[in-house]
Amino acid sequence: MQKKLAILVPLIVFSFRATAQNETFYKTDKVGEKYAYVDVIKTYEKVAAKGYKSVDLFQKLGNSSYSQCELEKAAEWYTKLFALTTDLDPVYYYRYAESLRFISENEKADALIEKLKRKPKTSRKS
């Protein structure tokens, strides 16, 4: 009995290993040497240039420009954002004010910060 068990256990183990190594590979057609890369921000800019306006679009464009230290562009996008709505998180007020200060529109930035100070504090849930 022990001989049969000693032979049976290794056969079972090796049979599992043999099936685990048997993989199927599928060959696909090669489209090209390079991967497709889409610059989302450039796409958003093209959409905005065609006249499409939305809070989400201007937030993304402004945030992208701000994070890349392109504060002049950020000021432009945040201006368009604030033209649509002022019901925004305080971070947008600060980024817009900082962008305005960068392009030497300090009075406008000060007015924006004052507007933020007078804005009623509400807890927003996202």
Side-chain angles (χ1 to χ4, degrees):
M1 178 73 177
Q2 283 184 347
K3 271 187 169 180
K4 289 182 182 179
L5 189 60
I7 294 173
L8 188 59
V9 169
L11 283 175
I12 292 172
V13 170
F14 286 119
S15 68
F16 284 126
R17 284 192 137 202
T19 58
Q21 297 296 325
N22 208 6
E23 295 180 19
T24 305
F25 292 98
Y26 297 99
K27 188 175 180 181
T28 59
D29 294 333
K30 204 173 196 180
V31 175
E33 293 296 320
K34 296 182 181 180
Y35 291 104
Y37 174 76
V38 176
D39 188 354
V40 176
I41 299 305
K42 288 190 189 245
T43 304
Y44 286 153
E45 288 174 345
K46 288 178 184 175
V47 169
K50 290 184 178 182
Y52 181 76
K53 297 176 183 181
S54 80
V55 171
D56 187 50
L57 176 70
F58 293 142
Q59 282 177 333
K60 288 178 181 175
L61 287 169
N63 291 343
S64 172
S65 299
Y66 183 86
S67 66
Q68 293 176 1
C69 296
E70 296 175 350
L71 297 181
E72 191 171 329
K73 265 177 124 176
E76 174 187 340
W77 295 120
Y78 287 137
T79 300
K80 292 180 180 185
L81 173 64
F82 275 78
L84 292 178
T85 185
T86 56
D87 185 30
L88 298 164
D89 289 332
V91 69
Y92 291 103
Y93 283 84
Y94 288 114
R95 289 180 180 178
Y96 185 30
E98 191 172 278
S99 301
L100 288 172
R101 287 189 201 288
F102 180 78
I103 59 173
S104 301
E105 291 191 22
N106 295 329
E107 296 83 22
K108 209 172 175 182
D110 292 338
L112 190 65
I113 295 298
E114 285 302 316
K115 191 175 189 179
L116 176 62
K117 287 178 184 177
R118 289 190 307 267
K119 189 175 178 184
K121 305 240 187 290
T122 58
S123 63
R124 297 176 103 187
K125 292 183 180 180
S126 299

